[in-house]
């Protein structure tokens, strides 16, 4: 529960709340106290408003004949996932946005239904704000301290603000991929050709589900349905290769990823090209093959240096190539001991190795303990890296 609260409400939220209460209770400065408490009410309402917005997408998607599948709240490291009424809810750290996914049968995937889905979040925020306005007077004075603590005004304002911002047409980034906002999706909708694509993406989504459940063989069979379809062949080849690597079949995984290099247009789809290079660098790292890992990881990192998967591979490559201080500097910010997952644990493996080589024994032990406690989060390829690093250190000690 603490992890969930900390992910939703970071430390500054609790500090503002504590200061506001202390100032109010001690009657130091009532105006400042109410100003701080109203700020807390607004920050709290923003978080709740995001949840309302994403559930709104699911509700309107359901009304449009779709099948609600999941909500992702926040970015960065996964904190918790659970299922409610067959809907997966994934809570990540940095709870400042989200997205919802609704699966439409081909016959229901119309412009009208897509309009309902894309506008559902905004409409739900406005409906909630409107219902409160019918019962309670709204005042912008909550932004000051003129009328004391005004939670409902803060809540109405927050939901209205989320609705307005969601309609601004631009791209947001999720896991290194640019995703259109609701506003941009709605703006493009009238120009979208009916039946522009006859591809049924339901199996593609199901494959992602199987991947998350570590049912890699099932995921491979689903992805292979898309390898000969023009719109999906690059991603299908790439994902199939990743699934083989997660099973521990590294050579087969590399074969699929190498085939992607002949399929991808590196100028038109730079991010996919980056993912392929990063994946190849990673699989070579798993095998301990240092040939080309520098150029492969550098290529991915140069395209999107802020993307943590590319940073993780690049940092690991630097350590593997002996540039240990540079690698440690890159990897250290990526490891959050509170939220272990396959990525953070894998980064910790190379930090353990790097600090051991530098004889920073206390730091090395810290990362060793973190990895040891979370081995169950690793797939076969990551476990192979762990085994290789341990053997490498034993060999070094034996010299």
């Amino acid at each position: 529960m603490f992890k969930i609260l900390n992910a939703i409400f970071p430390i500054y939220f609790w500090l503002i709340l504590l200061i506001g209460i202390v100032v109010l209770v001690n009657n130091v400065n009532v105006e400042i106290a109410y100003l701080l408490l109203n700020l807390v009410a607004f920050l709290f309402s923003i978080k709740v408003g995001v949840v309302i917005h994403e559930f709104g997408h699911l509700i309107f998607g359901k009304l449009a004949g779709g099948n609600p599948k999941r909500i992702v709240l926040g970015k960065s490291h996964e904190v918790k996932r659970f299922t409610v009424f067959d809907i997966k809810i994934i809570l990540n750290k940095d709870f400042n946005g989200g997205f919802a996914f609704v699966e439409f049968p081909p016959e229901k995937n119309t412009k009208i239904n897509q309009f309902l889905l894309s506008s559902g979040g905004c409409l739900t925020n406005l409906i909630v704000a409107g219902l409160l306005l019918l019962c309670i007077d709204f005042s912008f004075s909550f932004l000051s301290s003129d009328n004391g603590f005004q939670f409902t005004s803060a809540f109405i304002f927050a939901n209205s603000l989320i609705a307005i911002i969601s309609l601004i047409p631009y791209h947001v980034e999720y896991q290194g991929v640019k995703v259109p906002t609701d506003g941009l999706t709605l703006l493009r909708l009238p120009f979208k050709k009916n039946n522009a694509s006859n591809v049924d993406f339901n199996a593609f989504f199901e494959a992602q589900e199987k991947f998350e459940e570590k049912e890699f063989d099932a995921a491979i069979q689903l992805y292979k349905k898309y390898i000969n379809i023009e719109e999906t062949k690059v991603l299908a080849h790439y994902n199939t290769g990743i699934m083989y690597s997660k099973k521990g079949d590294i050579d087969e995984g590399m074969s699929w990823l190498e085939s992607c290099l002949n399929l991808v247009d590196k100028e038109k789809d730079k991010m996919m090209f980056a993912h392929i290079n990063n994946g190849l660098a990673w699989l070579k790292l798993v095998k301990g093959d240092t040939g080309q890992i520098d150029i492969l990881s550098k290529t991915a990192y140069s395209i999107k240096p802020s993307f943590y998967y590319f940073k993780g591979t690049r940092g690991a490559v630097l350590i593997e190539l002996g540039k240990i201080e540079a690698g440690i500097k890159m990897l250290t910010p990526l490891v959050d001991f509170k939220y272990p997952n396959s990525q953070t644990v894998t980064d910790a493996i190379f930090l353990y190795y790097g600090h051991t080589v530098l004889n920073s024994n206390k730091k090395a032990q810290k990362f060793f303990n973190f990895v040891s406690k979370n081995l169950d989060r690793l797939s076969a390829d990551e476990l192979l890296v762990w085994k290789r690093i341990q053997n490498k250190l034993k060999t070094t000690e034996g010299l």
Side-chain angles (χ1 to χ4, degrees), residues 121-254:
C122 166
L123 290 173
T124 305
N125 286 127
L126 292 177
I127 289 169
V128 169
L131 289 174
L132 285 173
L133 276 172
L134 292 176
C135 306
I136 300 166
D137 292 332
F138 170 79
S139 173
F140 277 109
S141 64
F142 84 91
L143 296 169
S144 65
S145 56
D146 295 344
N147 293 312
F149 183 56
Q150 298 184 64
F151 175 81
T152 51
S153 288
F155 194 83
I156 292 169
F157 181 74
N159 275 272
S160 302
L161 186 64
I162 291 170
I164 293 169
I165 291 174
S166 72
L167 293 178
I168 300 174
Y170 66 104
H171 283 101
V172 295
E173 187 176 293
Y174 179 73
Q175 293 191 349
V177 179
K178 288 185 177 181
V179 180
T181 60
D182 298 338
L184 185 56
T185 300
L186 290 169
L187 191 63
R188 290 173 171 175
L189 197 56
F191 307 99
K192 182 179 178 182
K193 294 180 181 179
N194 285 319
N195 300 320
S197 173
N198 293 318
V199 180
D200 181 2
F201 286 97
N202 291 341
F204 217 103
F205 178 81
E206 187 181 347
Q208 176 66 24
E209 297 279 298
K210 297 298 182 184
F211 165 52
E212 292 175 357
E213 295 164 2
K214 295 191 175 183
E215 296 181 19
F216 302 125
D217 285 319
I220 287 171
Q221 295 308 311
L222 290 167
Y223 281 131
K224 283 184 176 180
K225 293 181 179 181
Y226 294 88
I227 59 176
N228 294 317
I229 299 174
E230 186 63 31
E231 295 118 308
T232 59
K233 63 182 180 181
V234 179
L235 187 56
H237 276 76
Y238 172 80
N239 284 343
T240 300
I242 295 299
M243 293 306 101
Y244 275 113
S245 74
K246 292 301 173 186
K247 288 178 57 182
D249 193 341
I250 306 305
D251 289 333
E252 185 70 14
M254 287 189 68

Side-chain angles (χ1 to χ4, degrees), residues 2 38-39 41 77 132 198 200-201 212 271 341 352 355 371:
F2 173 76
N38 283 332
L39 176 59
H77 307 309
L132 285 173
N198 293 318
D200 181 2
F201 286 97
E212 292 175 357
M271 199 63 191
N341 58 34
Y352 158 66
H355 283 296
V371 174

Side-chain angles (χ1 to χ4, degrees), residues 65-133:
N67 181 23
K69 299 295 290 186
R70 69 168 54 195
I71 286 178
V72 178
L73 299 168
K75 302 177 182 179
S76 187
H77 307 309
E78 183 176 316
V79 177
K80 183 73 175 178
R81 67 169 58 210
F82 43 92
T83 302
V84 179
F85 300 119
D86 293 327
I87 299 171
K88 285 191 175 180
I89 302 173
I90 301 167
L91 174 63
N92 295 328
K93 191 183 173 186
D94 300 334
F95 191 106
N96 53 5
F99 72 89
F101 183 85
V102 175
E103 182 182 81
F104 280 106
E107 68 276 8
K108 294 286 187 178
N109 194 17
T110 64
K111 285 186 180 181
I112 292 175
N113 288 340
Q114 286 293 333
F115 174 84
L116 288 171
L117 172 64
S118 298
S119 61
C122 166
L123 290 173
T124 305
N125 286 127
L126 292 177
I127 289 169
V128 169
L131 289 174
L132 285 173
L133 276 172

